[in-house]
Amino acid sequence: MATVSVCKYYPGGFSFDNCKRNALLEADISKLGFSSPAARKTGTTICGVVYKDGVVLGADTRATEGMIVADKNCSKIHYISPNIYCCGAGTAADTEMTTQIISSNLELHSLSTGRLPRVATANRMLKQMLFRYQGYIGAALVLGGVDCNGPHLYSIYPHGSTDKLPYVTMGSGSLAAMAVFEDRYRPNMEEEEAKRLVRDAIAAGIFNDLGSGSNIDLCVITKGKVDYLRPHDVANKKGVREDKVYGHPVTGSYRYKHGTTGVLTKTVTPLNLEVVEESVQTMDTS
Amino acid sequence: MSEELFPEPEWLSEEVKTGTTIIAVTFDGGVVLGSDSRVSAGEAVVNRVMNKLSPLHDKIYCALSGSAADAQTIAEIVNYQLDVHRPRTQYHRTFNKDVILLTSPDDNVVVKQKKKQHLHEIGHILNAFEFDKAWDRTVLRKIKEKVPHDLSIEVEDDPLVCSAATLVKNISYKYKEELSAHLIVAGWDKKKGGQVYATLSGLLTSQPFAIGGSGSFYINGFVDAEYRKNMTKRECQEFVVNALTLAMGRDGSSGGVAYVVTIDKDGAEEKCVLGNELPKFFDQ
């Protein structure tokens, strides 16, 4: 007696079958009457520039969930190691967790070597992890830091490719920010000039891209020192409502002058009530 | 309210591709590799100065095309695998007799023998020995016998270009369905001189010249007509630059600057030809 069974051969490596299933579901889901939950994305503009003594990283602070701003002041510049920081664009959860995982691994690595970690090491770790997940982790990162070989700046894409450049931008506002960089970047700038350039690039992204907004955060990394300026620039100040208009207080106040509404008739009807029970409960005000 | 009001630009989720034109040509005594420098994600250019000629070993380079992530990863893996062919001892070309060791870049201390011994014991130095600048490979081989067995030395000859190309081909073939990158491997070795290998989809073929990438379709006729056997180094470099210029002029996904690497028995020489220095062709 023979059993006829077909064993499915599972080749090694990750199985992305569920991703295909998800794609099919997404196509049909509107017919079923549901809507798929929108992941919170950091629509974003992030950028970085290498200047004379180090790197300056910049980011806006808006996080969107579909068309709604989920967080008006989120922090997109993540800590990797004392001398390396990373800005993240794409899905907020992915950038947050990826940078935390690599930060943790890098600390262990640094304790093992006994040396300050290098930016190239962080870059390798990030790109190998993102490549392993074939782009399904939606994290686009700008990695910058200063190590024993000087200042370095990398851009890392969700599929795992990286570029090492003197100035990079990422996110939905990256084209606007890159326009500013391409116009005004010079090698070996001074710190103030570099900070102004990054601030202006992020501002270009904030004002010309719907996915970016709110404030500008900067992070200046030099050999031995990190300045985390949050917020560096409050580009979008919330307006202050005027206190009084024509002498009447406006803000949240619904008190009107006596006589604002004219009284036409007045009727008083006494209600006859009997007192059934009267009890006193003392309140503990200690 | 629909998503059309705030459509996400397509290039945000597009995979980053190296649109590209790559070319490798053999000449009498070596090879010349050339590439453009544009990396695109959909319609946006994300890097306009990327050097797509990636070193696999001292005298073996590969040219990347296709998906940037896949191509970069393959090149890095093969580079790592070929590191086996590097002598494991650390030696500095500028030191004369003693290897001068500093415990940290900020220290200005010359380390003496006892300290070196201690550092080796606690694992801060993996392999080190003192050598004289005038020594060459044959002498190093003799030293091999005298060095303690826990300091492993592998003094090997440089790898063959064929070996490097085979490593690339193996990865390309095994993961054929998942990867979309094409690498052209070219270099110089003692056995066969300058060679060019194409590894498209896992095939391995040695050719006098090879072109690849989206821009290569526009210059197929040009290279077929203009290639001659046994060109000089100079002629070969000009041929490569002309081919790249013509392709960059017609292909939207290729552009930027031209990177040219010349490899012969003396080593590899990298050169970057800026946009305004490229040759001018009929351009109404």
Side-chain angles (χ1 to χ4, degrees):
Chain A
M1 189 151 62
T3 51
V4 179
S5 62
V6 180
C7 292
K8 188 162 178 202
Y9 169 62
Y10 285 104
F14 281 107
S15 164
F16 290 106
D17 293 334
N18 279 343
C19 296
K20 291 193 203 119
R21 176 207 71 177
N22 292 346
L24 289 170
L25 277 178
E26 294 237 346
D28 290 333
I29 209 161
S30 45
K31 293 188 208 140
L32 296 166
F34 302 106
S35 63
S36 49
R40 180 186 300 189
K41 292 178 93 68
T42 55
T44 229
T45 309
I46 50 176
C47 67
V49 85
V50 173
Y51 73 102
K52 196 173 79 173
D53 307 318
V55 297
V56 179
L57 300 173
D60 73 306
T61 61
R62 175 182 288 183
T64 50
E65 210 167 295
M67 281 290 288
I68 300 174
V69 174
D71 190 346
K72 283 181 283 200
N73 200 355
C74 79
S75 161
K76 299 185 192 178
I77 307 185
H78 309 285
Y79 167 89
I80 302 270
S81 80
N83 59 327
I84 305 173
Y85 278 72
C86 182
C87 310
T91 311
D94 288 345
T95 58
E96 188 78 40
M97 294 314 298
T98 305
T99 47
Q100 279 176 4
I101 291 171
I102 263 65
S103 168
S104 164
N105 288 345
L106 202 61
E107 180 163 352
L108 290 171
H109 183 262
S110 156
L111 288 166
S112 160
T113 58
R115 299 177 165 105
L116 202 61
R118 301 192 190 183
V119 190
T121 316
N123 177 52
R124 257 311 155 97
M125 289 178 168
L126 283 163
K127 76 160 16 180
Q128 283 177 352
M129 179 180 163
L130 291 174
F131 184 80
R132 204 184 323 146
Y133 288 94
Q134 287 290 291
Y136 286 104
I137 292 188
L141 309 166
V142 167
L143 176 76
V146 179
D147 59 26
C148 57
N149 290 337
H152 302 279
L153 187 64
Y154 292 87
S155 65
I156 307 167
Y157 292 87
H159 284 265
S161 59
T162 64
D163 291 310
K164 183 174 192 311
L165 292 165
Y167 54 94
V168 293
T169 63
M170 288 281 233
S172 54
S174 65
L175 290 181
M178 185 51 95
V180 175
F181 275 157
E182 288 284 25
D183 186 33
R184 285 162 45 187
Y185 170 80
R186 293 180 305 108
N188 292 327
M189 287 183 284
E190 295 298 330
E191 179 170 326
E192 279 314 309
E193 193 187 344
K195 277 161 71 172
R196 242 197 326 269
L197 180 60
V198 171
R199 185 245 157 238
D200 287 345
I202 302 288
I206 286 175
F207 293 121
N208 294 293
D209 172 49
L210 296 178
S212 315
S214 299
N215 316 324
I216 301 169
D217 288 349
L218 280 194
C219 185
V220 183
I221 310 172
T222 50
K223 192 172 162 67
K225 190 164 81 93
V226 172
D227 272 333
Y228 194 92
L229 306 161
R230 176 174 157 80
H232 170 69
D233 198 328
V234 184
N236 291 289
K237 277 205 177 55
K238 199 166 176 175
V240 177
R241 281 153 76 173
E242 278 183 50
D243 230 358
K244 282 184 195 297
V245 171
Y246 304 126
H248 303 288
V250 171
T251 323
S253 168
Y254 291 95
R255 287 194 150 269
Y256 297 94
K257 240 171 61 162
H258 276 293
T260 307
T261 314
V263 179
L264 297 175
T265 51
K266 192 160 141 180
T267 323
V268 177
T269 313
L271 295 168
N272 292 318
L273 297 167
E274 267 178 46
V275 178
V276 177
E277 198 195 320
E278 198 177 306
S279 63
V280 175
Q281 259 184 340
T282 50
M283 199 161 57
D284 191 353
T285 53
S286 55
Chain B
M1 179 130 83
S2 59
E3 290 299 293
E4 279 87 61
L5 279 177
F6 176 31
E8 196 182 69
E10 279 159 14
W11 46 264
L12 263 190
S13 44
E14 287 272 332
E15 195 180 329
V16 174
K17 285 185 149 353
T18 55
T20 227
T21 310
I22 49 176
I23 173 171
V25 186
T26 52
F27 66 91
D28 190 20
V31 292
V32 178
L33 289 107
S35 82
D36 73 309
S37 67
R38 180 173 290 182
V39 180
S40 51
E43 283 159 2
V45 173
V46 292
N47 187 352
R48 58 180 170 84
V49 285
M50 174 165 185
N51 190 344
K52 299 176 194 175
L53 304 175
S54 192
L56 297 179
H57 201 81
D58 297 334
K59 296 199 188 97
I60 307 176
Y61 273 63
C62 74
L64 314 173
S65 74
S67 154
D70 294 346
Q72 276 184 6
T73 306
I74 299 175
E76 280 168 16
I77 291 174
V78 176
N79 183 324
Y80 171 77
Q81 289 171 346
L82 286 175
D83 272 349
V84 146
H85 286 266
R86 291 199 186 280
R88 296 257 294 259
T89 52
Q90 291 180 4
Y91 57 92
H92 290 263
R93 287 174 221 279
T94 49
F95 296 139
N96 203 345
K97 267 203 146 172
D98 287 335
V99 175
I100 302 168
L101 300 168
L102 302 170
T103 43
S104 109
D106 297 326
D107 288 355
N108 285 319
V109 170
V110 173
V111 183
K112 297 297 181 191
Q113 184 57 37
K114 244 176 149 175
K115 188 69 180 169
K116 284 184 220 169
Q117 186 72 25
H118 173 67
L119 286 174
H120 175 61
E121 274 160 21
I122 63 175
H124 279 278
I125 314 170
L126 296 176
N127 299 301
F129 68 100
E130 300 168 359
F131 90 119
D132 195 316
K133 252 201 296 202
W135 297 345
D136 68 358
R137 279 276 154 78
T138 43
V139 180
L140 287 175
R141 245 181 264 269
K142 288 194 197 138
I143 291 168
K144 190 179 175 180
E145 288 118 57
K146 304 214 174 76
V147 172
H149 61 265
D150 57 344
L151 288 177
S152 64
I153 302 180
E154 286 169 27
V155 181
E156 293 203 23
D157 281 331
D158 289 336
L160 297 176
V161 186
C162 186
S163 322
T166 306
L167 289 171
V168 172
K169 179 266 286 176
N170 285 342
I171 300 175
S172 301
Y173 182 69
K174 185 167 179 193
Y175 298 104
K176 213 161 136 128
E177 307 297 325
E178 289 88 9
L179 296 173
S180 63
H182 171 208
L183 276 69
I184 297 179
V185 180
W188 184 93
D189 63 31
K190 270 198 316 226
K191 203 162 150 195
K192 290 194 193 162
Q195 300 144 74
V196 166
Y197 290 88
T199 64
L200 183 63
S201 299
L203 119 99
L204 180 65
T205 153
S206 171
Q207 297 171 185
F209 65 89
I211 52 176
S214 58
S216 67
F217 298 120
Y218 300 93
I219 51 171
N220 266 307
F222 172 79
V223 296
D224 284 343
E226 291 293 316
Y227 173 74
R228 291 177 322 278
K229 270 207 251 230
N230 297 328
M231 285 190 274
T232 63
K233 180 154 88 164
R234 187 112 200 111
E235 286 170 350
C236 198
Q237 284 170 335
E238 270 174 34
F239 173 60
V240 163
V241 171
N242 286 342
L244 285 173
T245 309
L246 287 168
M248 296 201 294
R250 286 289 178 177
D251 178 30
S253 324
S254 305
V257 303
Y259 286 104
V260 179
V261 168
T262 313
I263 310 175
D264 56 16
K265 64 174 174 24
D266 300 319
E269 180 199 318
E270 294 191 16
K271 202 161 74 113
C272 171
V273 184
L274 296 181
N276 56 346
E277 294 162 12
L278 291 171
K280 304 263 180 298
F281 290 96
F282 178 73
D283 198 357
Q284 215 168 17

